[in-house]
Amino acid sequence: MEIAARTVAMGALPFHGACALTICIERAKEEHLLEQVRVIDSHTGGEPTRTVIEGGPDLGSGDLQQRRLLFQNNHEAFRRALVTEPRASEAVVGALLCEPTRPDCIAGVIFFNNSGCLGMCGHGTIGVVATLAYLGRIQPGSHRIETPVGVVGVTLNADGSVTFENVPSYRLAAAIEVEVPGYGTVTGDVAWGGNWFFLIKHPPYTIAKANLDQLIHFTWQVRQALTAAGIRGAEGAEIDHIELHGPGSSPNVNSRNFVLCPGKEYDRSPCGTGTSAKLACLYAEGLLAPGQVWRQESVIGSIFEGRIVLRDGHLLPTITGSAFIIAESTLIFDPRDAFCWGIPA
């Protein structure tokens, strides 16, 4: 009934069902009522990435930090429309492909999620590389991608997996104590892996899907307590990711983690930037040597393999994982739709 009413209102022929809908959309296109955005959807270890390949906002030709700031300040509706309901879910991370400013980079990318922009996204980088391969824009081999926090080296491996060399990572502070209401004193490390993390070795709950509600509640309380206590990253940056660690599910897995992302959604993958932060902490403790493999498992059981390289006084994590293309879509933005730009908070 709704389709038929819209069809008649637009002056289309009185057909029903799919035929009427097709005519309605074609007429709207002719009258320039609809905006369209082309995306490729993928998942990396269960965590979804939506890569915008056409129809994104014009952000000019500044560096990626400047363009991220423009995106953040001027295109909030676009961000919300791409990665939240009704077109997506709270777990989706967006990746806006941009022209790079550096000639040695194959692409620039701005990552965003349900709460705002991200500095870097490990699982998203793997998804972007898989997307570029799917589109035929790259072949197996080494490439470079420009992000707002620096250039990331990536390798499309012969088996389709992706290895990325992250930005320099480090542990800023060890064994920081924070009082968390309902939980008492919680101790963790503050580390940078492309985003700021508070890493906790001994969480109060076993890291398992059966405990997701408790894990989300605990980590959200920790994040709020960090803010209240004024515990921050370098230069006063907000610590917006909370990471818990426990034993892996098998002898060949070093650890299982749970990561709460800024928008209060958990990472289904082992989290590329979170694994990078973990590697930095392990190295600082003398528990990981350059080149040594660390197998990091997510709360749903997917695996990343991490290593570290020391170069010019910096610790550079390398993370290997796989992404799979799950959809190629054209998103429709109809101005008559009250939820065209997402559901308001």
Side-chain angles (χ1 to χ4, degrees), residues 65 83 87 120 131 140 169 191-192 216 251-252 257 291 333:
Q65 286 187 344
V83 296
R87 287 185 188 84
M120 167 59 184
T131 295
S169 302
W192 170 259
I216 290 169
N252 67 337
N257 72 2
F333 294 78

Side-chain angles (χ1 to χ4, degrees), residues 15-33:
F15 294 124
H16 297 284
C19 184
L21 178 60
T22 299
I23 291 175
C24 177
I25 291 175
E26 289 304 316
R27 179 63 60 84
K29 288 180 182 177
E30 292 173 5
E31 296 178 4
H32 305 289
L33 293 175

Side-chain angles (χ1 to χ4, degrees), residues 275-315:
T275 299
S276 297
K278 179 63 176 180
L279 297 179
C281 291
L282 290 167
Y283 177 75
E285 294 176 29
L287 299 176
L288 188 72
Q292 182 180 347
V293 175
W294 179 269
R295 302 191 81 233
Q296 183 64 61
E297 181 180 24
S298 77
V299 68
I300 68 167
S302 51
I303 302 288
F304 283 168
E305 288 192 351
R307 298 173 177 82
I308 59 170
V309 175
L310 301 180
R311 185 182 303 144
D312 300 327
H314 297 293
L315 184 152

Side-chain angles (χ1 to χ4, degrees), residues 154-208:
V154 298
T155 300
L156 176 61
N157 301 311
D159 64 357
S161 66
V162 175
T163 300
F164 72 90
E165 184 179 272
N166 201 1
V167 296
S169 302
Y170 61 97
R171 183 176 70 177
L172 178 68
I176 298 298
E177 294 185 346
V178 60
E179 289 298 317
V180 181
Y183 296 95
T185 302
V186 174
T187 303
D189 294 349
V190 177
W192 170 259
N195 294 299
W196 281 107
F197 287 82
F198 190 75
L199 299 97
I200 301 169
K201 295 179 183 177
H202 304 293
Y205 306 104
T206 300
I207 298 175

Side-chain angles (χ1 to χ4, degrees), residues 113-251:
N113 68 357
N114 62 339
S115 68
C117 289
L118 301 170
M120 167 59 184
C121 181
H123 95 268
T125 297
I126 295 172
V128 165
V129 173
T131 295
L132 293 173
Y134 170 78
L135 293 171
R137 297 185 186 180
I138 61 171
Q139 299 298 319
S142 296
H143 309 278
R144 289 164 69 81
I145 293 177
E146 192 173 0
T147 79
V149 296
V151 173
V152 175
V154 298
T155 300
L156 176 61
N157 301 311
D159 64 357
S161 66
V162 175
T163 300
F164 72 90
E165 184 179 272
N166 201 1
V167 296
S169 302
Y170 61 97
R171 183 176 70 177
L172 178 68
I176 298 298
E177 294 185 346
V178 60
E179 289 298 317
V180 181
Y183 296 95
T185 302
V186 174
T187 303
D189 294 349
V190 177
W192 170 259
N195 294 299
W196 281 107
F197 287 82
F198 190 75
L199 299 97
I200 301 169
K201 295 179 183 177
H202 304 293
Y205 306 104
T206 300
I207 298 175
K209 287 188 293 183
N211 294 332
L212 282 175
D213 288 344
Q214 295 97 319
L215 293 167
I216 290 169
H217 183 266
F218 170 64
T219 48
W220 186 247
Q221 292 297 112
V222 170
R223 181 180 170 187
Q224 291 178 307
L226 291 170
T227 300
I231 299 172
R232 306 182 76 84
E235 299 179 352
E238 182 180 11
I239 301 171
D240 56 5
H241 289 69
I242 310 300
E243 182 169 0
L244 312 179
H245 281 270
S249 63
S250 64

